[in-house]
Amino acid sequence: MSQLTFTVNGIKVCGNRHEPLLTQLEKAGIKPEYQCRNGMCGACRCKLISGSVTQQDALAFIGPNEILSCCSIPQQNIEVHFDYQLNTEHQSTKTNIAL
């Protein structure tokens, strides 16, 4: 399985094609806001700047070029932006996620 690179508010992390983006970011020490983890609330909404994801059906409203990180599985390298400062557990600019 090939490794992917995610750029999240300028922070680069490594990821995969089989877990939701929210889960992968948390494993990398990046803590986006969320409430439900199933696409109902929209708290994990972010802007997809580049790349592509497969997004499961969700009830929360999303605008053009927005995704829900809890329901989105990256298909290639992506760049996303959250409209708030993310809490992080690390200071480095690159973190590996075990595949």
Side-chain angles (χ1 to χ4, degrees), residues 9-93:
N9 289 23
I11 302 168
K12 289 189 184 289
V13 296
C14 295
N16 62 62
R17 290 187 172 125
H18 65 273
E19 293 179 293
L21 179 59
L22 177 61
T23 302
Q24 295 186 63
L25 294 178
E26 290 175 324
K27 287 180 179 180
I30 298 172
K31 305 295 183 187
E33 294 177 9
Y34 73 91
Q35 292 177 8
C36 71
R37 291 191 177 269
N38 62 7
M40 298 288 289
C41 72
C44 67
R45 175 185 302 112
C46 61
K47 195 70 103 166
L48 181 63
I49 307 299
S50 65
S52 68
V53 299
T54 300
Q55 185 161 281
Q56 300 168 345
D57 290 337
L59 294 177
F61 173 78
I62 54 174
N65 300 320
E66 288 184 334
I67 62 171
L68 298 174
S69 63
C70 71
C71 297
S72 297
I73 299 175
Q75 297 304 302
Q76 57 184 229
N77 294 339
I78 61 170
E79 181 177 355
V80 296
H81 181 78
F82 289 84
D83 288 336
Y84 52 88
Q85 185 169 347
L86 295 166
N87 291 324
T88 61
E89 294 177 353
H90 63 82
Q91 298 299 320
S92 69
T93 58

